[in-house]
């Protein structure tokens, strides 16, 4: 029997989303003879039944393009802003799934999307997710697509910042995306030769960072690049957060991943990140006597042409996804595992964040070349 599959992209966009849509679509249509339909703007489009035809023609010429041809949103099925209210629209979504005679819904997204997909699975829908995010923080997969492209962009940015920092004898603090996990800052920091790398996983002591910079200046290098993940916090901030978490339930503020936040919240969080990073640059200027400048890479890291590695990964995951649907395997994320792929139950992915282990080989190796982590 011909299978009907729906596909949507949810959460923040990432390079190679179109390569993944193409991978799923071409394998589903051409190889397995299925029908495929797109939904616009994530779960909102499914709730509003706004569809996009995905025939062979629409799937051509998108492998190399940035963004998502389907559009995306951070809307969640169970908490959707509708007419000025936040409503649970799960039933409408379930209804549209059935009205479109779907056998499976493919959701391309990060940890937050896996959580939403699991909610739909619990309502009886067949769902599959693919791990997408530049943050590389999805549990259960070796890597996510979008990460490699962002890594290249952030590395090139650090390369370019080096020559200007060197010429002006300045500190340049560069803020890199990654609110819960520091994979991107760590990778780009190592590849770009940052002198200091600050990660959400390692609360930093600003005095230790300043001393590393002063030490470089004493050694004849009066310039430094500080690569900061947007979620990096000082030891004082970490202690304050820990105290808040221990406080009785009233007023207890649970830190949310940006992927779980509503749009307004995510915007506010970004302003906070930027403010915190600016304060860090000012403190370093004060403590070292060197001029400091701040560069926030922001959404530059998410845009544009995907790298070859991301195109390959997205194609690999997308085609494996179509194969799993053909076999009737649902309720899983298609994870990257070594050279291949493997289905991982959504229960093992949803609500989890893959952070950088403190003893990760990359951290050890960065320490060997003299990188300061602020600890
Ligand atoms: O989830 C990926 C990410 O790029 C985070 O690193 C960042 O905090 C967030 O998205 C910002 O997303 P937006 O501006 O789209 O809300």
């Amino acid at each position: 029997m011909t299978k009907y599959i729906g596909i949507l992209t949810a959460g923040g966009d990432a390079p190679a989303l179109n390569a993944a849509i193409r991978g799923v679509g071409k394998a589903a249509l051409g190889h397995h003879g299925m029908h495929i339909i797109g939904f616009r703007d994530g779960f909102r489009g499914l709730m509003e039944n706004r569809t996009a035809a995905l025939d062979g023609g629409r799937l051509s010429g998108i492998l190399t393009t940035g963004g998502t041809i389907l559009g995306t949103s951070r809307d969640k099925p169970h908490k959707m802003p509708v007419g000025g209210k936040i409503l649970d629209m799960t039933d409408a979504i379930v209804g549209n799934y059935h009205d479109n005679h779907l056998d499976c819904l493919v959701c391309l997204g990060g940890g937050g999307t896996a959580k939403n997909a699991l909610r739909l699975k619990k309502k009886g829908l067949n769902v599959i997710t693919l791990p997408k995010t530049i943050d590389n923080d999805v549990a259960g997969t070796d890597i996510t697509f979008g990460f490699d492209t962002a890594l290249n962009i952030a590395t090139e940015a650090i390369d370019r910042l080096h020559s200007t920092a060197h010429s002006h004898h300045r500190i340049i603090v560069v803020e890199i995306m990654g609110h819960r996990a520091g994979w991107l800052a760590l990778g780009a920091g190592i590849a770009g030769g940052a002198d200091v790398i600050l990660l959400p996983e390692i609360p930093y002591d600003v005095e230790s960072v300043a001393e590393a910079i002063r030490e470089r200046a004493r050694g004849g290098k009066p310039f430094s690049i500080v690569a900061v993940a947007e979620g990096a916090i000082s030891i004082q901030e970490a202690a304050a957060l820990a105290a808040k978490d221990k406080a009785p339930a009233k007023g207890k503020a649970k830190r949310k991943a940006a992927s779980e936040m509503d749009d307004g919240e995510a915007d506010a969080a970004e302003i906070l990140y930027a403010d915190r990073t600016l304060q860090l640059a000012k403190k370093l200027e004060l403590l070292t006597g060197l001029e400091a400048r701040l560069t926030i890479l922001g959404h530059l890291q998410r845009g544009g042409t995907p790298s070859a590695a991301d195109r390959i990964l997205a194609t690999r995951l997308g085609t494996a996804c179509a194969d799993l649907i053909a076999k009737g395997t649902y309720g899983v994320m298609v994870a990257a595992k070594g050279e291949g792929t493997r289905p991982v139950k959504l229960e093992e992915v949803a609500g989890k964040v893959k952070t950088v282990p403190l003893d990760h080989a990359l951290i050890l190796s960065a320490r060997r070349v003299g990188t300061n982590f602020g600890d």
Side-chain angles (χ1 to χ4, degrees), residues 12-13 74 133-135 177-179 230 258-259 263 266-267 270 273 299 302:
D13 71 335
R74 292 196 179 276
T133 165
I134 67 162
D135 293 350
M177 275 190 171
H179 50 282
E230 59 187 3
S259 52
D263 277 348
D267 291 348
E270 271 169 54
Y273 299 140
H299 295 81
R302 291 212 317 228

Side-chain angles (χ1 to χ4, degrees), residues 173 175 204 206 237 271-287 292 294 296:
V173 175
E175 186 189 279
Y204 62 85
V206 71
E237 287 167 311
I271 294 163
L272 279 181
Y273 299 140
D275 190 47
R276 198 195 282 144
T277 315
L278 177 64
Q279 295 311 321
L280 171 66
K282 283 185 178 166
K283 265 186 213 154
L284 290 177
E285 190 166 83
L286 213 69
L287 291 170
L294 169 64
I296 295 177

Side-chain angles (χ1 to χ4, degrees), residues 151-152 154-156 158-159 162 184-194 197 362 366 369 371:
L151 182 61
N152 289 326
T155 301
E156 191 194 338
I158 296 179
D159 289 350
H162 257 294
L184 198 51
L186 177 63
I190 292 176
I197 301 177
L362 285 180
V369 294
T371 310

Side-chain angles (χ1 to χ4, degrees), residues 38-226:
F39 292 95
R40 298 186 187 280
D41 305 331
F43 293 104
R44 174 166 293 275
L46 177 54
M47 185 273 284
E48 293 169 349
N49 205 23
R50 283 188 290 116
T51 58
L54 287 180
D55 53 16
R58 190 65 192 101
L59 294 170
S60 283
I62 61 169
L63 174 64
T64 60
T65 59
T68 157
I69 57 164
L70 293 174
T72 187
S73 73
R74 292 196 179 276
D75 289 314
K76 304 169 189 132
H78 68 300
K79 273 188 185 175
M80 190 134 351
V82 182
K85 291 188 184 143
I86 306 288
L87 302 177
D88 183 347
M89 300 306 288
T90 310
D91 287 347
I93 283 180
V94 171
N96 286 336
Y97 175 98
H98 292 302
D99 288 351
N100 283 290
H101 309 289
L102 298 184
D103 293 295
C104 179
L105 174 69
V106 179
C107 305
L108 276 50
T113 301
K115 230 171 157 179
N116 290 323
L118 180 59
R119 287 188 183 107
L120 297 180
K121 178 190 166 186
K122 287 180 179 162
K123 292 281 176 182
L125 306 193
N126 293 329
V127 285
I128 295 199
T129 70
L130 258 60
K132 158 246 61 170
T133 165
I134 67 162
D135 293 350
N136 194 32
D137 61 355
V138 177
T141 183
D142 287 357
I143 192 162
T144 58
F145 61 84
F147 174 66
D148 181 72
T149 309
L151 182 61
N152 289 326
I153 296 169
T155 301
E156 191 194 338
I158 296 179
D159 289 350
R160 290 177 183 278
L161 291 171
H162 257 294
S163 58
T164 172
H166 178 264
S167 306
H168 283 270
H169 319 298
R170 281 174 175 158
I171 300 166
I172 296 195
V173 175
V174 50
E175 186 189 279
I176 294 171
M177 275 190 171
H179 50 282
R180 278 287 179 97
W183 295 105
L184 198 51
L186 177 63
I190 292 176
D195 308 293
V196 177
I197 301 177
L198 302 180
L199 309 176
E201 292 86 350
I202 308 178
Y204 62 85
D205 173 4
V206 71
E207 181 48 49
S208 150
V209 177
E211 180 48 24
I213 293 172
R214 287 191 298 254
E215 176 66 30
R216 279 175 50 79
R218 286 194 292 272
K221 293 176 186 163
F223 67 95
S224 284
I225 299 287
V226 181

Side-chain angles (χ1 to χ4, degrees), residues 324 329 332-335 341-345:
L324 286 170
T329 306
V332 296
M333 172 185 78
V334 189
T341 59
R342 67 171 182 134
V344 179
K345 283 194 176 143

